[in-house]
Amino acid sequence: MPGRTAIMSNAGSSDRKEGAIQRVPTERAGQTNVPPGTESSYTLVVFVNDHPGAVDRVIGLLRRRRASMQKLLVGRSELPDVVRITVSVTDSEVRFDHLLEQLRKIVDVRHIVNLSTESVVARELALVKVNSTAANGSEIIELGHLFGAHAVDVTGDTITLEVTGSEEKIEKLVSQLQSYGIREVARTGYVAMTRGTGDNG
């Protein structure tokens, strides 16, 4: 009839919703959840051709695979056309193995070294700027010497120390300098290679 609003019945709609198939997102291989405490730390050196976008593809894969990157350092290698990527990740063994498989499929990846299974030499460089006064300047420099650090900049109210060594060594020095008041810390992240005749490339 004119002017009458038709009322549509919703009867049975709740039943249809309850009976509907719920789509559960599936995880890709290598991305399954793992129990806490089963992850380990791994360090890789990835040698990549110095082509446009090559490094971005490696880093992009690490992000897509949800790898927990602790450190990432990109630099030149002994070959003029090869870039060296040092990366540390925390992951389960299964997901790490799958990550290696995926990295090897990237066209510009020439070689991968898993330093986690090798005897390596690893070093990191840090610059630490500390508050100083005329009274404690010598004390700060002497403290740095205990860790093999030396002053690279001295002003009326700051001292900047340069130190090279293991991550643990640098952490200890920074901890010891906290009482003086740290202005700034810059760290490179560590570089590493196999000991002796081990071939990284």
Side-chain angles (χ1 to χ4, degrees):
M1 295 177 63
R4 178 176 295 180
T5 302
I7 300 175
M8 302 298 293
S9 173
N10 289 325
S13 62
S14 60
D15 292 336
R16 287 195 297 272
K17 290 180 180 178
E18 291 178 358
I21 297 175
Q22 300 295 320
R23 294 185 178 274
V24 179
T26 57
E27 294 181 327
R28 297 178 182 177
Q31 291 184 335
T32 55
N33 293 325
V34 294
T38 61
E39 297 91 350
S40 298
S41 294
Y42 303 92
T43 300
L44 296 175
V45 176
V46 185
F47 294 89
V48 183
N49 290 325
D50 190 11
H51 294 163
V55 172
D56 290 339
R57 283 190 285 274
V58 171
I59 296 174
L61 174 63
L62 291 169
R63 289 174 175 167
R64 289 196 304 274
R65 300 308 304 174
R66 302 176 189 173
S68 177
M69 287 186 287
Q70 306 300 316
K71 300 181 182 68
L72 177 67
L73 185 65
V74 180
R76 309 299 306 179
S77 73
E78 66 276 11
L79 300 176
D81 59 344
V82 176
V83 176
R84 181 189 184 106
I85 303 174
T86 304
V87 58
S88 294
V89 300
T90 300
D91 217 334
S92 69
E93 183 176 358
V94 172
R95 292 199 301 192
F96 176 72
D97 289 342
H98 194 270
L99 175 63
L100 284 178
E101 292 178 9
Q102 295 300 308
L103 285 171
R104 292 189 179 107
K105 292 179 181 178
I106 297 177
V107 174
D108 283 311
V109 171
R110 296 176 54 138
H111 186 58
I112 301 174
V113 179
N114 180 6
L115 295 181
S116 310
T117 62
E118 303 286 346
S119 177
V120 302
V121 177
R123 292 292 184 272
E124 180 177 358
L125 182 142
L127 297 175
V128 187
K129 184 185 292 185
V130 186
N131 292 325
S132 67
T133 64
N136 66 14
S138 297
E139 181 180 318
I140 292 172
I141 293 174
E142 287 299 321
L143 175 60
H145 287 168
L146 295 177
F147 291 85
H150 61 278
V152 293
D153 184 62
V154 179
T155 67
D157 56 0
T158 66
I159 293 176
T160 301
L161 298 175
E162 176 186 302
V163 59
T164 304
S166 66
E167 181 178 6
E168 293 76 16
K169 174 183 175 180
I170 293 173
E171 292 287 355
K172 288 180 181 178
L173 174 59
V174 171
S175 177
Q176 291 293 317
L177 292 171
Q178 290 286 357
S179 60
Y180 298 98
I182 292 179
R183 289 279 190 92
E184 190 176 355
V185 176
R187 299 174 64 164
T188 61
Y190 68 80
V191 292
M193 63 175 58
T194 54
R195 291 182 178 274
T197 57
D199 183 11
N200 282 338

